Coordinates of all heavy atoms in Angstrom, one line a residue:
M1 N 20.3 3.7 15.0 CA 20.5 3.8 13.6 C 20.4 5.3 13.2 O 21.1 5.7 12.3 CB 19.4 3.0 12.9 CG 19.5 1.5 13.1 SD 18.3 0.6 12.1 CE 16.8 0.9 13.0
W2 N 19.5 6.0 13.9 CA 19.4 7.4 13.6 C 20.0 8.2 14.7 O 19.6 9.4 15.0 CB 17.9 7.8 13.4 CG 17.3 7.1 12.3 CD1 16.6 6.0 12.3 CD2 17.4 7.5 10.9 NE1 16.2 5.6 11.0 CE2 16.7 6.5 10.1 CE3 18.0 8.5 10.2 CZ2 16.6 6.6 8.8 CZ3 17.9 8.6 8.8 CH2 17.2 7.6 8.1
G3 N 20.9 7.7 15.5 CA 21.5 8.4 16.6 C 20.6 8.3 17.8 O 19.7 7.5 17.8
S4 N 20.9 9.1 18.8 CA 20.1 9.0 20.0 C 19.0 10.0 20.1 O 18.3 10.1 21.1 CB 21.1 9.2 21.2 OG 21.7 10.5 21.1
R5 N 18.8 10.8 19.1 CA 17.7 11.8 19.1 C 16.3 11.1 19.1 O 16.1 10.2 18.2 CB 17.8 12.8 18.0 CG 18.9 13.8 18.1 CD 19.0 14.7 16.9 NE 17.7 15.2 16.6 CZ 17.4 15.8 15.4 NH1 18.3 15.9 14.5 NH2 16.2 16.2 15.2
R6 N 15.5 11.4 20.0 CA 14.2 10.7 20.0 C 13.1 11.7 20.3 O 12.5 11.8 21.4 CB 14.1 9.6 21.0 CG 14.8 8.3 20.5 CD 14.5 7.1 21.3 NE 15.0 5.9 20.6 CZ 14.2 5.1 19.9 NH1 12.9 5.4 19.8 NH2 14.7 4.1 19.3
D7 N 12.8 12.6 19.3 CA 11.7 13.5 19.5 C 10.4 12.8 19.4 O 10.3 11.8 18.6 CB 11.8 14.6 18.4 CG 13.1 15.5 18.6 OD1 13.5 15.6 19.7 OD2 13.6 16.0 17.6
V8 N 9.5 13.2 20.1 CA 8.2 12.5 20.1 C 7.6 12.6 18.7 O 7.0 11.6 18.2 CB 7.2 13.2 21.1 CG1 5.8 12.6 21.0 CG2 7.7 13.1 22.5
D9 N 7.8 13.7 18.0 CA 7.2 13.9 16.7 C 7.8 12.9 15.7 O 7.2 12.7 14.6 CB 7.4 15.3 16.2 CG 6.3 16.2 16.9 OD1 5.3 15.7 17.5 OD2 6.4 17.4 16.8
D10 N 9.0 12.4 16.0 CA 9.6 11.5 15.0 C 9.3 10.1 15.3 O 9.8 9.2 14.6 CB 11.1 11.8 15.0 CG 11.5 13.1 14.5 OD1 10.6 13.7 13.7 OD2 12.5 13.6 14.8
G11 N 8.5 9.8 16.3 CA 8.2 8.5 16.6 C 7.4 7.8 15.5 O 6.9 8.4 14.7
P12 N 7.4 6.5 15.6 CA 6.7 5.7 14.6 C 5.2 6.0 14.7 O 4.7 6.3 15.8 CB 7.0 4.3 14.9 CG 7.4 4.3 16.3 CD 8.0 5.6 16.6
V13 N 4.5 5.8 13.6 CA 3.0 6.0 13.6 C 2.4 4.7 13.2 O 3.1 3.8 12.6 CB 2.6 7.1 12.7 CG1 3.1 8.5 13.2 CG2 3.0 6.9 11.3
T14 N 1.2 4.5 13.5 CA 0.5 3.2 13.2 C -0.4 3.4 12.0 O -1.2 4.3 11.9 CB -0.3 2.8 14.4 OG1 0.6 2.6 15.5 CG2 -0.9 1.4 14.1
C15 N -0.1 2.6 11.0 CA -1.0 2.6 9.8 C -2.4 2.1 10.1 O -2.6 1.1 10.8 CB -0.4 1.7 8.7 SG -1.4 1.4 7.3
I16 N -3.4 2.9 9.7 CA -4.8 2.6 10.1 C -5.3 1.4 9.3 O -6.3 0.9 9.6 CB -5.7 3.8 9.9 CG1 -5.7 4.3 8.5 CG2 -5.3 4.9 10.9 CD1 -6.7 5.4 8.3
A17 N -4.6 1.1 8.2 CA -5.1 0.1 7.3 C -4.6 -1.3 7.7 O -5.3 -2.3 7.8 CB -4.8 0.3 5.9
C18 N -3.3 -1.4 8.0 CA -2.7 -2.7 8.3 C -2.2 -2.8 9.7 O -1.8 -3.9 10.1 CB -1.6 -3.0 7.3 SG -0.1 -2.0 7.4
G19 N -2.1 -1.7 10.4 CA -1.6 -1.8 11.8 C -0.1 -1.8 12.0 O 0.3 -1.9 13.1
D20 N 0.6 -1.7 10.9 CA 2.0 -1.7 11.0 C 2.5 -0.4 11.5 O 1.9 0.7 11.3 CB 2.7 -1.9 9.6 CG 2.8 -3.4 9.3 OD1 2.4 -4.2 10.1 OD2 3.3 -3.7 8.2
E21 N 3.6 -0.4 12.3 CA 4.2 0.8 12.7 C 5.2 1.2 11.7 O 6.1 0.4 11.3 CB 4.9 0.6 14.1 CG 3.9 0.6 15.2 CD 4.6 0.9 16.5 OE1 5.9 0.8 16.6 OE2 4.0 1.2 17.5
V22 N 5.2 2.4 11.3 CA 6.1 2.9 10.3 C 6.7 4.2 10.7 O 6.0 5.0 11.5 CB 5.4 3.1 8.9 CG1 5.0 1.7 8.3 CG2 4.2 4.0 9.0
P23 N 7.9 4.6 10.3 CA 8.4 5.9 10.7 C 7.5 7.0 10.1 O 7.0 6.8 9.0 CB 9.8 5.9 10.0 CG 10.1 4.5 9.8 CD 8.8 3.8 9.6
R24 N 7.3 8.0 10.9 CA 6.4 9.1 10.4 C 6.8 9.6 9.0 O 6.0 10.0 8.2 CB 6.4 10.2 11.4 CG 5.4 11.3 11.0 CD 5.2 12.3 12.2 NE 4.5 11.6 13.3 CZ 3.7 12.3 14.1 NH1 3.5 13.6 13.9 NH2 3.1 11.7 15.1
D25 N 8.1 9.6 8.8 CA 8.6 10.1 7.5 C 8.1 9.3 6.4 O 8.0 9.7 5.3 CB 10.2 10.1 7.5 CG 10.7 11.4 8.2 OD1 9.9 12.2 8.6 OD2 11.9 11.4 8.5
D26 N 7.9 8.0 6.7 CA 7.5 7.1 5.6 C 6.0 7.0 5.5 O 5.5 6.2 4.7 CB 8.1 5.7 5.9 CG 9.5 5.7 5.5 OD1 10.0 6.6 4.8 OD2 10.2 4.7 5.9
A27 N 5.3 7.6 6.4 CA 3.8 7.5 6.4 C 3.1 8.7 5.6 O 3.7 9.8 5.5 CB 3.3 7.4 7.8
R28 N 2.0 8.4 5.2 CA 1.2 9.5 4.6 C 0.1 9.9 5.6 O -0.6 9.0 6.1 CB 0.5 9.0 3.3 CG 1.4 8.5 2.2 CD 2.1 9.7 1.6 NE 3.1 9.2 0.7 CZ 2.8 9.0 -0.6 NH1 1.6 9.1 -1.1 NH2 3.8 8.6 -1.4
E29 N 0.0 11.2 5.8 CA -1.0 11.7 6.6 C -2.4 11.4 6.0 O -2.6 11.6 4.8 CB -0.9 13.2 6.9 CG 0.2 13.5 7.8 CD 0.2 15.0 8.1 OE1 -0.4 15.8 7.3 OE2 0.9 15.5 9.0
Y30 N -3.3 11.0 6.8 CA -4.6 10.7 6.3 C -5.6 11.4 7.2 O -5.7 11.0 8.4 CB -4.9 9.2 6.2 CG -6.3 8.9 5.8 CD1 -6.7 9.0 4.5 CD2 -7.3 8.6 6.8 CE1 -8.0 8.7 4.1 CE2 -8.6 8.3 6.4 CZ -8.9 8.4 5.1 OH -10.2 8.1 4.7
D31 N -6.4 12.3 6.7 CA -7.4 12.9 7.4 C -8.8 12.5 6.9 O -9.1 12.9 5.7 CB -7.2 14.4 7.4 CG -8.3 15.1 8.2 OD1 -9.1 14.4 8.9 OD2 -8.4 16.3 8.2
K32 N -9.5 11.8 7.6 CA -10.8 11.3 7.1 C -11.7 12.4 6.7 O -12.7 12.2 6.0 CB -11.4 10.3 8.1 CG -11.7 10.9 9.4 CD -12.2 9.8 10.4 CE -12.2 10.3 11.8 NZ -11.8 9.3 12.8
H33 N -11.5 13.6 7.3 CA -12.4 14.7 7.0 C -11.9 15.5 5.8 O -12.5 16.4 5.3 CB -12.5 15.6 8.2 CG -13.0 15.0 9.4 ND1 -14.3 14.4 9.5 CD2 -12.5 14.7 10.6 CE1 -14.5 13.9 10.7 NE2 -13.4 14.0 11.4
G34 N -10.7 15.1 5.3 CA -10.3 15.7 4.1 C -9.8 17.1 4.3 O -9.6 17.9 3.4
N35 N -9.5 17.4 5.5 CA -9.0 18.8 5.9 C -7.7 18.7 6.5 O -7.6 18.4 7.7 CB -10.1 19.5 6.8 CG -9.6 20.9 7.1 OD1 -8.5 21.3 6.8 ND2 -10.5 21.6 7.8
R36 N -6.7 18.9 5.7 CA -5.3 18.8 6.3 C -4.8 20.1 6.7 O -3.6 20.2 7.1 CB -4.4 18.2 5.2 CG -4.8 16.8 4.9 CD -4.1 16.3 3.7 NE -2.6 16.1 3.9 CZ -1.9 15.4 3.2 NH1 -2.3 14.7 2.1 NH2 -0.6 15.2 3.4
W37 N -5.5 21.2 6.7 CA -5.0 22.5 7.0 C -5.4 22.9 8.4 O -4.7 23.7 9.0 CB -5.5 23.5 6.0 CG -5.0 23.3 4.7 CD1 -3.8 23.8 4.2 CD2 -5.5 22.4 3.6 NE1 -3.6 23.3 2.9 CE2 -4.6 22.5 2.6 CE3 -6.7 21.7 3.6 CZ2 -4.9 21.8 1.4 CZ3 -6.9 20.9 2.4 CH2 -6.0 21.0 1.3
E38 N -6.5 22.3 8.9 CA -6.9 22.6 10.3 C -6.1 21.6 11.2 O -6.6 20.5 11.3 CB -8.4 22.5 10.4 CG -8.9 22.8 11.8 CD -8.6 24.2 12.3 OE1 -9.1 25.1 11.6 OE2 -7.8 24.3 13.2
R39 N -5.1 22.0 11.8 CA -4.2 21.1 12.5 C -4.4 21.2 14.0 O -3.8 20.4 14.7 CB -2.8 21.3 12.1 CG -2.5 21.2 10.6 CD -1.0 21.4 10.4 NE -0.3 20.3 10.8 CZ 0.1 19.3 9.9 NH1 -0.3 19.3 8.7 NH2 0.8 18.3 10.4
T40 N -5.1 22.2 14.5 CA -5.2 22.4 15.9 C -6.0 21.3 16.6 O -7.0 20.9 16.1 CB -5.8 23.8 16.2 OG1 -5.2 24.7 15.3 CG2 -5.6 24.2 17.6
D41 N -5.4 20.8 17.7 CA -6.1 19.8 18.5 C -6.6 18.6 17.7 O -7.7 18.2 17.8 CB -7.4 20.4 19.2 CG -6.9 21.5 20.2 OD1 -5.8 21.3 20.7 OD2 -7.7 22.4 20.5
K42 N -5.7 18.2 16.8 CA -6.2 17.2 15.9 C -5.1 16.1 15.9 O -3.9 16.4 15.9 CB -6.3 17.8 14.5 CG -7.3 17.1 13.7 CD -7.7 18.1 12.6 CE -8.2 17.3 11.4 NZ -8.5 18.1 10.3
E43 N -5.5 14.9 15.8 CA -4.6 13.8 15.6 C -4.8 13.2 14.2 O -5.9 12.8 13.8 CB -4.8 12.7 16.6 CG -3.8 12.9 17.8 CD -3.9 11.7 18.7 OE1 -3.9 10.5 18.2 OE2 -4.0 11.8 19.9
F44 N -3.8 13.3 13.4 CA -3.9 12.7 12.1 C -3.8 11.2 12.2 O -3.1 10.6 13.1 CB -2.8 13.2 11.2 CG -3.0 14.6 10.6 CD1 -2.5 15.7 11.2 CD2 -3.9 14.7 9.5 CE1 -2.8 17.0 10.7 CE2 -4.1 16.0 9.0 CZ -3.6 17.1 9.6
E45 N -4.4 10.6 11.2 CA -4.2 9.2 11.1 C -3.2 9.0 9.9 O -2.9 9.9 9.1 CB -5.5 8.5 10.7 CG -6.5 8.6 11.9 CD -7.9 8.1 11.5 OE1 -8.4 8.6 10.6 OE2 -8.4 7.2 12.2
Y46 N -2.6 7.8 9.9 CA -1.6 7.6 8.9 C -1.8 6.3 8.2 O -2.3 5.3 8.7 CB -0.2 7.5 9.6 CG 0.2 8.8 10.3 CD1 -0.2 9.1 11.6 CD2 0.9 9.8 9.5 CE1 0.2 10.3 12.1 CE2 1.2 11.0 10.1 CZ 0.8 11.3 11.4 OH 1.2 12.5 12.0
L47 N -1.3 6.3 7.0 CA -1.2 5.1 6.1 C 0.2 4.9 5.8 O 0.9 5.8 5.5 CB -2.0 5.3 4.8 CG -3.5 5.3 4.9 CD1 -4.1 5.8 3.6 CD2 -4.1 3.9 5.3
C48 N 0.7 3.6 5.8 CA 2.0 3.4 5.3 C 1.9 3.4 3.8 O 0.8 3.4 3.2 CB 2.5 2.0 5.8 SG 1.6 0.6 5.1
K49 N 3.1 3.5 3.2 CA 3.1 3.7 1.7 C 2.4 2.6 0.9 O 1.7 2.9 0.0 CB 4.5 3.9 1.2 CG 5.0 5.4 1.6 CD 6.4 5.6 1.1 CE 6.8 7.1 1.5 NZ 8.2 7.3 1.2
P50 N 2.6 1.3 1.3 CA 1.9 0.3 0.5 C 0.4 0.4 0.6 O -0.3 0.3 -0.4 CB 2.4 -1.0 1.2 CG 3.7 -0.7 1.7 CD 3.6 0.8 2.2
C51 N -0.1 0.7 1.8 CA -1.5 0.9 1.9 C -2.0 2.1 1.2 O -3.1 2.1 0.6 CB -1.9 0.9 3.4 SG -1.7 -0.7 4.2
D52 N -1.3 3.2 1.3 CA -1.6 4.4 0.6 C -1.8 4.1 -0.9 O -2.7 4.5 -1.6 CB -0.6 5.5 0.8 CG -0.9 6.7 0.1 OD1 -1.9 7.4 0.4 OD2 -0.1 7.1 -0.9
R53 N -0.8 3.3 -1.4 CA -0.8 3.0 -2.8 C -2.1 2.1 -3.1 O -2.8 2.3 -4.1 CB 0.4 2.3 -3.2 CG 0.8 2.4 -4.6 CD 2.3 2.0 -4.8 NE 2.5 0.7 -4.2 CZ 3.6 0.4 -3.5 NH1 4.5 1.4 -3.3 NH2 3.8 -0.7 -3.0
D54 N -2.3 1.2 -2.3 CA -3.5 0.3 -2.5 C -4.8 1.0 -2.5 O -5.7 0.8 -3.2 CB -3.5 -0.8 -1.4 CG -2.4 -1.9 -1.7 OD1 -1.8 -1.8 -2.8 OD2 -2.2 -2.7 -0.8
C55 N -4.9 2.0 -1.6 CA -6.1 2.7 -1.4 C -6.4 3.7 -2.5 O -7.5 3.9 -2.9 CB -6.1 3.5 -0.1 SG -6.2 2.4 1.4
C56 N -5.3 4.3 -3.0 CA -5.5 5.5 -3.8 C -5.1 5.4 -5.2 O -5.5 6.2 -6.0 CB -4.7 6.7 -3.2 SG -5.1 7.0 -1.4
H57 N -4.5 4.3 -5.5 CA -4.0 4.2 -6.9 C -4.2 2.8 -7.4 O -4.3 1.8 -6.7 CB -2.5 4.6 -7.0 CG -2.2 5.9 -6.4 ND1 -2.5 7.1 -6.9 CD2 -1.6 6.1 -5.2 CE1 -2.1 8.0 -6.1 NE2 -1.6 7.5 -5.0
Q58 N -4.2 2.7 -8.7 CA -4.2 1.4 -9.3 C -2.8 0.8 -9.1 O -1.8 1.4 -9.2 CB -4.5 1.5 -10.8 CG -5.9 1.9 -11.1 CD -6.9 0.9 -10.7 OE1 -6.7 -0.3 -10.8 NE2 -8.0 1.3 -10.1
P59 N -2.8 -0.5 -8.8 CA -1.5 -1.1 -8.5 C -0.8 -1.4 -9.8 O -0.8 -2.5 -10.3 CB -1.9 -2.4 -7.8 CG -3.3 -2.7 -8.3 CD -3.9 -1.4 -8.6
R60 N -0.1 -0.4 -10.3 CA 0.6 -0.7 -11.5 C 1.9 -1.4 -11.3 O 2.3 -2.2 -12.1 CB 0.8 0.7 -12.3 CG -0.3 0.9 -13.3 CD 0.1 2.1 -14.1 NE -0.1 3.4 -13.3 CZ 0.2 4.6 -13.7 NH1 0.7 4.7 -14.9 NH2 0.1 5.6 -13.0
K61 N 2.6 -0.9 -10.2 CA 3.8 -1.6 -9.9 C 3.4 -3.0 -9.4 O 2.5 -3.2 -8.6 CB 4.5 -0.8 -8.8 CG 6.0 -1.1 -8.8 CD 6.7 0.0 -8.0 CE 8.2 -0.2 -8.1 NZ 9.0 0.8 -7.4
G62 N 4.2 -4.0 -9.8 CA 3.8 -5.3 -9.5 C 3.0 -6.0 -10.5 O 3.0 -7.3 -10.6
L63 N 2.5 -5.3 -11.4 CA 1.7 -5.9 -12.5 C 2.7 -6.7 -13.4 O 2.4 -7.9 -13.7 CB 1.1 -4.9 -13.4 CG 0.3 -5.4 -14.6 CD1 -0.8 -6.3 -14.2 CD2 -0.2 -4.2 -15.5
E64 N 3.8 -6.2 -13.6 CA 4.8 -6.8 -14.5 C 5.3 -8.1 -13.9 O 5.3 -9.2 -14.5 CB 6.0 -5.9 -14.8 CG 6.8 -6.3 -16.0 CD 7.8 -5.3 -16.4 OE1 7.7 -4.2 -15.8 OE2 8.6 -5.6 -17.2
S65 N 5.6 -8.1 -12.6 CA 6.0 -9.3 -11.9 C 4.9 -10.3 -11.8 O 5.2 -11.5 -11.9 CB 6.6 -9.0 -10.5 OG 5.6 -8.5 -9.7
M66 N 3.7 -9.8 -11.7 CA 2.6 -10.8 -11.7 C 2.5 -11.5 -13.0 O 2.3 -12.7 -13.1 CB 1.3 -10.0 -11.4 CG 0.1 -11.0 -11.2 SD -1.5 -10.1 -10.9 CE -1.9 -9.6 -12.5
L67 N 2.7 -10.7 -14.1 CA 2.6 -11.3 -15.4 C 3.7 -12.4 -15.6 O 3.4 -13.5 -16.1 CB 2.8 -10.3 -16.5 CG 1.7 -9.2 -16.6 CD1 2.0 -8.2 -17.7 CD2 0.3 -9.8 -16.8
V68 N 4.8 -12.1 -15.1 CA 5.9 -13.1 -15.1 C 5.5 -14.3 -14.3 O 5.7 -15.5 -14.7 CB 7.2 -12.5 -14.6 CG1 8.3 -13.6 -14.5 CG2 7.7 -11.4 -15.5
D69 N 5.0 -14.1 -13.1 CA 4.6 -15.2 -12.3 C 3.5 -16.1 -13.0 O 3.5 -17.3 -12.8 CB 4.0 -14.7 -11.0 CG 5.1 -14.2 -10.0 OD1 6.2 -14.5 -10.2 OD2 4.7 -13.4 -9.1
L70 N 2.7 -15.5 -13.8 CA 1.7 -16.2 -14.4 C 2.2 -17.0 -15.6 O 1.4 -17.7 -16.3 CB 0.5 -15.2 -14.8 CG -0.2 -14.6 -13.7 CD1 -1.3 -13.6 -14.2 CD2 -0.9 -15.6 -12.8
G71 N 3.4 -16.7 -16.0 CA 4.0 -17.4 -17.1 C 3.8 -16.7 -18.4 O 3.8 -17.4 -19.5
A72 N 3.8 -15.4 -18.4 CA 3.6 -14.7 -19.6 C 4.7 -15.0 -20.6 O 5.9 -15.0 -20.2 CB 3.6 -13.2 -19.4
G73 N 4.4 -15.4 -21.8 CA 5.4 -15.7 -22.8 C 5.9 -17.1 -22.7 O 6.7 -17.5 -23.5
E74 N 5.5 -17.8 -21.7 CA 6.0 -19.2 -21.5 C 4.9 -20.2 -21.6 O 5.2 -21.4 -21.9 CB 6.7 -19.3 -20.1 CG 7.9 -18.5 -20.0 CD 8.5 -18.6 -18.6 OE1 8.1 -19.4 -17.8 OE2 9.4 -17.8 -18.3
V75 N 3.7 -19.8 -21.4 CA 2.6 -20.8 -21.6 C 1.7 -20.3 -22.7 O 1.8 -19.2 -23.1 CB 1.8 -20.8 -20.3 CG1 2.7 -21.3 -19.1 CG2 1.2 -19.5 -19.9
P76 N 1.0 -21.2 -23.3 CA 0.1 -20.8 -24.3 C -0.8 -19.7 -23.9 O -1.2 -19.6 -22.7 CB -0.8 -22.1 -24.6 CG 0.1 -23.2 -24.1 CD 0.9 -22.7 -23.0
Q77 N -1.2 -18.8 -24.8 CA -1.9 -17.6 -24.5 C -3.2 -17.9 -23.8 O -3.6 -17.2 -22.8 CB -2.2 -16.8 -25.7 CG -2.8 -15.4 -25.4 CD -2.9 -14.5 -26.6 OE1 -2.9 -15.0 -27.7 NE2 -2.8 -13.2 -26.3
E78 N -3.9 -19.0 -24.2 CA -5.1 -19.4 -23.6 C -4.9 -19.7 -22.1 O -5.7 -19.2 -21.2 CB -5.7 -20.6 -24.3 CG -7.2 -20.5 -24.5 CD -7.7 -21.7 -25.3 OE1 -7.6 -22.8 -24.9 OE2 -8.1 -21.4 -26.5
E79 N -3.9 -20.4 -21.9 CA -3.5 -20.8 -20.5 C -3.2 -19.5 -19.7 O -3.6 -19.4 -18.5 CB -2.4 -21.8 -20.5 CG -1.7 -22.0 -19.1 CD -2.6 -22.9 -18.2 OE1 -3.6 -23.5 -18.7 OE2 -2.3 -23.0 -17.0
F80 N -2.4 -18.7 -20.3 CA -2.0 -17.5 -19.6 C -3.2 -16.6 -19.3 O -3.4 -16.1 -18.1 CB -1.1 -16.7 -20.5 CG -0.8 -15.3 -19.9 CD1 -0.1 -15.1 -18.8 CD2 -1.4 -14.2 -20.5 CE1 0.1 -13.8 -18.3 CE2 -1.2 -12.9 -20.0 CZ -0.5 -12.7 -18.9
L81 N -4.1 -16.5 -20.2 CA -5.3 -15.7 -20.0 C -6.2 -16.2 -18.9 O -6.8 -15.5 -18.0 CB -6.1 -15.5 -21.3 CG -5.5 -14.6 -22.3 CD1 -6.3 -14.6 -23.6 CD2 -5.2 -13.2 -21.8
A82 N -6.3 -17.6 -18.8 CA -7.0 -18.2 -17.7 C -6.4 -17.9 -16.4 O -7.1 -17.6 -15.4 CB -7.1 -19.7 -18.0
R83 N -5.1 -18.0 -16.4 CA -4.4 -17.7 -15.1 C -4.6 -16.3 -14.7 O -4.8 -15.9 -13.5 CB -2.9 -18.0 -15.3 CG -2.5 -19.4 -15.4 CD -1.0 -19.6 -15.4 NE -0.6 -20.9 -15.8 CZ 0.7 -21.3 -15.9 NH1 1.6 -20.4 -15.6 NH2 1.0 -22.5 -16.2
F84 N -4.5 -15.4 -15.7 CA -4.6 -14.0 -15.4 C -6.0 -13.7 -14.9 O -6.1 -12.9 -13.9 CB -4.3 -13.2 -16.7 CG -4.3 -11.7 -16.5 CD1 -3.2 -11.0 -16.0 CD2 -5.5 -11.0 -16.8 CE1 -3.2 -9.7 -15.8 CE2 -5.5 -9.6 -16.6 CZ -4.4 -9.0 -16.1
R85 N -7.0 -14.3 -15.5 CA -8.3 -14.0 -15.0 C -8.5 -14.5 -13.6 O -9.1 -13.8 -12.8 CB -9.3 -14.8 -16.0 CG -10.7 -14.3 -15.9 CD -11.5 -14.9 -17.0 NE -11.4 -16.3 -17.1 CZ -11.1 -17.0 -18.2 NH1 -10.9 -16.4 -19.3 NH2 -11.0 -18.3 -18.2
D86 N -8.0 -15.7 -13.3 CA -8.0 -16.2 -11.9 C -7.3 -15.3 -11.0 O -7.8 -15.0 -9.9 CB -7.5 -17.6 -11.8 CG -8.4 -18.6 -12.5 OD1 -9.6 -18.3 -12.7 OD2 -7.9 -19.7 -12.7
A87 N -6.1 -14.8 -11.4 CA -5.3 -14.0 -10.5 C -5.9 -12.7 -10.2 O -5.8 -12.1 -9.1 CB -3.9 -13.8 -11.1
T88 N -6.6 -12.1 -11.1 CA -7.2 -10.8 -10.9 C -8.6 -10.9 -10.3 O -9.0 -10.0 -9.6 CB -7.3 -10.0 -12.2 OG1 -7.9 -10.8 -13.2 CG2 -5.9 -9.6 -12.7
A89 N -9.3 -12.0 -10.5 CA -10.6 -12.2 -10.0 C -10.5 -12.5 -8.5 O -11.2 -11.8 -7.7 CB -11.4 -13.3 -10.7
T90 N -9.7 -13.4 -8.1 CA -9.4 -13.7 -6.7 C -7.9 -13.8 -6.6 O -7.2 -14.1 -7.5 CB -10.0 -15.0 -6.3 OG1 -9.2 -16.1 -6.8 CG2 -11.4 -15.1 -6.8
R91 N -7.5 -13.4 -5.4 CA -6.0 -13.5 -5.1 C -5.7 -14.8 -4.5 O -4.6 -15.0 -3.9 CB -5.6 -12.4 -4.2 CG -5.5 -11.1 -5.0 CD -4.1 -11.0 -5.7 NE -4.0 -9.9 -6.6 CZ -2.9 -9.4 -7.1 NH1 -1.8 -10.0 -6.8 NH2 -2.9 -8.4 -7.9
Q92 N -6.6 -15.7 -4.5 CA -6.4 -17.0 -3.8 C -5.5 -17.9 -4.8 O -5.7 -17.8 -6.0 CB -7.7 -17.7 -3.5 CG -8.5 -17.0 -2.4 CD -9.8 -17.6 -2.2 OE1 -10.3 -18.4 -3.1 NE2 -10.4 -17.4 -1.1
E93 N -4.7 -18.7 -4.1 CA -3.9 -19.6 -4.9 C -4.8 -20.8 -5.3 O -5.6 -21.3 -4.5 CB -2.7 -20.1 -4.2 CG -1.6 -19.1 -4.2 CD -0.3 -19.7 -3.6 OE1 -0.2 -20.9 -3.7 OE2 0.5 -18.9 -3.2
R94 N -4.7 -21.3 -6.4 CA -5.4 -22.4 -6.9 C -4.4 -23.6 -7.0 O -3.3 -23.4 -7.6 CB -6.1 -22.2 -8.2 CG -7.2 -21.1 -8.0 CD -7.7 -20.7 -9.4 NE -8.3 -21.7 -10.1 CZ -9.6 -21.9 -10.2 NH1 -10.4 -21.0 -9.7 NH2 -10.2 -22.8 -10.9
R95 N -4.8 -24.7 -6.6 CA -4.0 -25.9 -6.7 C -4.8 -26.9 -7.5 O -5.8 -27.4 -7.0 CB -3.6 -26.4 -5.4 CG -2.6 -25.5 -4.6 CD -2.4 -26.0 -3.2 NE -1.5 -25.1 -2.5 CZ -0.2 -25.3 -2.4 NH1 0.3 -26.3 -3.1 NH2 0.5 -24.4 -1.8
D96 N -4.3 -27.3 -8.6 CA -5.0 -28.3 -9.4 C -4.4 -29.7 -9.1 O -3.2 -29.8 -8.8 CB -4.8 -28.0 -10.9 CG -5.6 -26.7 -11.2 OD1 -6.6 -26.5 -10.6 OD2 -5.1 -26.0 -12.1
Ligands
ZN1 ZN1 -0.4 -0.1 6.0

């Protein structure tokens, strides 16, 4: 897909959060010591983008689709709020 070049540095890296292998270009360097400038004799750890987003930011993307999934605008507000509360309190599916 990317031709036959296979430099070691371009190889996939493993996300420390979910264990997925992701292309290095798509990964975020993560240094648990918070020092990204001292690179000698050091192996960086990596987070894939979804995990990086989960760890470092509020999950704003996806909120809208979650609201749609919960029936926003289609169910009575009371019902919607109950669903919303359940969805945000636990991510477990409930079956009534
Ligand atoms: Zn990950």
Side-chain angles (χ1 to χ4, degrees):
M1 291 185 289
W2 297 97
S4 57
R5 287 178 47 195
R6 280 195 172 259
D7 294 331
V8 175
D9 280 347
D10 291 336
V13 295
T14 302
C15 170
I16 59 174
C18 68
D20 275 1
E21 282 199 345
V22 293
R24 183 168 292 210
D25 281 351
D26 283 345
R28 299 290 175 87
E29 283 182 349
Y30 173 80
D31 179 7
K32 58 187 169 216
H33 301 297
N35 182 352
R36 295 169 68 162
W37 293 270
E38 181 62 62
R39 305 181 71 94
T40 314
D41 293 335
K42 210 163 152 180
E43 263 189 46
F44 280 98
E45 293 172 306
Y46 294 90
L47 287 170
C48 67
K49 282 179 180 172
C51 290
D52 177 68
R53 205 164 51 223
D54 285 351
C55 289
C56 305
H57 308 285
Q58 290 297 321
R60 265 186 289 175
K61 206 166 187 177
L63 176 63
E64 201 169 348
S65 62
M66 185 180 82
L67 295 180
V68 172
D69 286 341
L70 294 178
E74 295 176 10
V75 298
Q77 185 168 29
E78 219 174 68
E79 169 74 9
F80 170 73
L81 290 177
R83 293 185 190 183
F84 184 81
R85 199 168 50 232
D86 287 345
T88 51
T90 75
R91 283 276 172 165
Q92 291 175 343
E93 280 191 23
R94 294 166 65 99
R95 291 170 183 271
D96 293 326

